[in-house]
Amino acid sequence: MSNWPELEKKYFMNTFTRTPVTLVRGEGARVWDEDGREYLDFVGGWAVNSLGHCHPVVVDAVTEQAHTLIQTSNQFYTIPQIRLAELLVQNSCLDKVFFSNSGAEATEGAVKLARRYGKLKLNGAYEVITTMNSFHGRTLAMTAATGQPKFQEPYLPLPVGFINVEYNNTEAIKAATTNQTCAVMLEPMQGEGGVNLPDDDYLSAVRAWCDQKGILLILDEIQTGIGRVGTLFAYEQYDIEPDIMTLAKGMASGVPLGAILAKDGASVFAAGEHGSTFGGNPLACAAGYATLKFIIDHDIAGNAREVGQYLSKGLENLKQKYEFVTDVRGRGLLVAMEFSSDIGQSALMACLERGLLVNRVKPNTLRFIPPLIIGNKEVDQALDILDKALSSMTG
Ligand SMILES: Cc1ncc(COP(=O)(O)O)c(C=O)c1O
């Protein structure tokens, strides 16, 4: 059998800290490695496998579309793209859609849209206010938008026009707003920053400020959207509506697909001002349509809410048991456990040995982002493994 880690080291750029396991197959919330060992997957492709691995509705949609039409370019109309755009509009507060291939492309496109709006309606305003600990993607501009110095420092100088302010602090946004500001861009709940929830009134206060100043509110729902936090979109839980929203990750249950959605008033691109070769191709959109339709028809967001509460309760119990667990936080199936010291990697390895895959989102924090179709049984199993893993670390 090949030594895949060695070959990876030889041929692949050194960008990822890999967990030492080579996965070859998945079904539902389970994956198998090359030796046939089974794991319960609470990483879910980094919050991507919303319907789990190889869900039949996604497999069937992709298979049928692959036999029919894979790519045509956006020079032509294609039916899966239009059907998915319609489904997104019918089930959100937004009016228009543009498809990209990834999350970073969606947020970058959203910023371009806001800059275009600034040029047309706000006397050329172009600055976008974002928050510390945010994550908006890995392009150069989205690295500037992402308020985390560790991602920014290797690439200085960064593109201009981004102001990073403290999260959960409306006054900081107000202080950073000038006549050059065209938009505020936020994750409704921060994912990669460690799963940070806003205060209940933060998003409505930011919405009111954007309205007062006539600037746009962009919500990056790439991680929180498509049912992950217990509603189809996180904004529903805060009784606000964004002007622009970005999606990706869970939208096509593993097939790469991102989207920018905008209200009619913010949808100011003219023909030729934005584009993509692959974005919104029939294959990805067929997967997206099958995923989203299933999520809506079967209230998968409701399942994420209920199972998520059960998971959070179980993690709270472990917090009572282990004094080095200092916090449990999250919504739906986006949940984190924080430790008093940087033992995240040891906890991850102790879980791996026992057959549970988890994500170490910060040196002292684990994140749980399983498929949205899991039930309490899988949660019990994961909690049992986590309990044993944490217990092994106390000895
Ligand atoms: C909130 C948010 N925005 C943007 C991105 C970037 O998405 P992608 O990795 O698909 O470019 C991510 C990825 O983790 C994310 O969580």
Side-chain angles (χ1 to χ4, degrees), residues 54-361:
C54 302
H55 192 288
V57 301
V58 181
V59 172
D60 288 352
V62 168
T63 305
E64 192 186 329
Q65 194 59 49
H67 283 292
T68 310
L69 187 66
I70 294 177
Q71 158 78 359
T72 63
S73 91
N74 282 302
Q75 187 176 329
F76 305 100
Y77 299 99
T78 50
I79 296 166
Q81 183 183 99
I82 299 167
R83 288 177 78 208
L84 178 57
E86 181 184 37
L87 193 63
L88 283 165
V89 167
Q90 286 172 343
N91 288 281
S92 72
C93 65
L94 290 313
D95 302 308
K96 293 284 193 298
V97 182
F98 175 91
F99 290 115
S100 63
N101 307 289
S102 68
E105 270 180 79
T107 43
E108 176 109 11
V111 166
K112 283 177 74 181
L113 184 60
R115 282 200 180 195
R116 198 72 197 103
Y117 185 90
K119 217 172 211 49
L120 293 168
K121 313 223 174 190
L122 300 171
N123 300 313
Y126 66 96
E127 282 181 355
V128 176
I129 300 171
T130 66
T131 62
M132 303 303 296
N133 274 321
S134 61
F135 190 84
H136 298 294
R138 300 287 198 157
T139 62
L140 211 48
M142 288 309 98
T143 299
T146 290
Q148 299 197 51
K150 70 174 180 197
F151 293 128
Q152 296 181 334
E153 271 156 18
Y155 302 105
L156 297 174
L158 291 169
V160 296
F162 296 95
I163 321 271
N164 310 142
V165 303
E166 193 182 20
Y167 184 62
N168 225 351
N169 181 342
T170 319
E171 292 310 312
I173 289 177
K174 290 182 179 174
T177 306
T178 69
N179 59 6
Q180 293 303 325
T181 308
C182 65
V184 175
M185 180 162 75
L186 301 172
E187 295 160 87
M189 302 165 195
Q190 292 185 331
E192 304 299 312
V195 185
N196 306 313
L197 300 189
D199 292 340
D200 287 344
D201 59 354
Y202 175 60
L203 291 171
S204 55
V206 176
R207 175 70 273 180
W209 176 250
C210 290
D211 288 343
Q212 190 182 326
K213 302 309 278 184
I215 58 179
L216 300 173
L217 176 60
I218 305 171
L219 286 187
D220 177 348
E221 292 236 24
I222 284 164
Q223 187 148 158
T224 54
I226 317 289
R228 168 76 36 200
V229 295
T231 44
L232 198 53
F233 304 109
Y235 71 75
E236 297 167 39
Q237 300 184 25
Y238 295 95
D239 217 14
I240 59 150
E241 294 187 354
D243 302 298
I244 300 174
M245 174 170 76
T246 54
L247 299 172
K249 288 200 180 277
M251 188 162 46
S253 207
V255 178
L257 181 63
I260 313 167
L261 285 78
K263 296 256 194 196
D264 273 328
S267 185
V268 294
F269 282 143
E273 286 181 355
H274 194 52
S276 172
T277 294
F278 296 120
N281 85 6
L283 190 72
C285 287
Y289 185 86
T291 301
L292 186 61
K293 188 85 174 65
F294 190 93
I295 285 176
I296 293 165
D297 290 350
H298 296 82
D299 190 21
I300 299 299
N303 187 66
R305 185 165 60 244
E306 280 167 31
V307 178
Q309 277 164 3
Y310 187 73
L311 171 63
S312 288
K313 221 165 119 209
L315 293 173
E316 278 293 341
N317 291 341
L318 293 179
K319 178 174 166 237
Q320 300 306 322
K321 185 165 170 187
Y322 299 99
E323 64 177 22
F324 58 90
V325 177
T326 49
D327 195 22
V328 170
R329 55 180 181 265
R331 265 302 150 78
L333 287 171
L334 173 59
V335 186
M337 172 178 265
E338 188 172 307
F339 305 115
S340 53
S341 60
D342 292 350
I343 57 167
Q345 188 60 24
S346 320
L348 179 153
M349 289 304 292
C351 287
L352 179 73
E353 277 167 30
R354 292 163 179 80
L356 172 67
L357 305 183
V358 295
N359 172 250
R360 182 194 56 82
V361 69

Side-chain angles (χ1 to χ4, degrees), residues 361-377:
V361 69
K362 289 171 94 177
N364 67 345
T365 309
L366 294 183
R367 180 175 47 162
F368 307 95
I369 34 179
L372 308 180
I373 41 95
I374 60 162
N376 291 355
K377 207 170 116 224

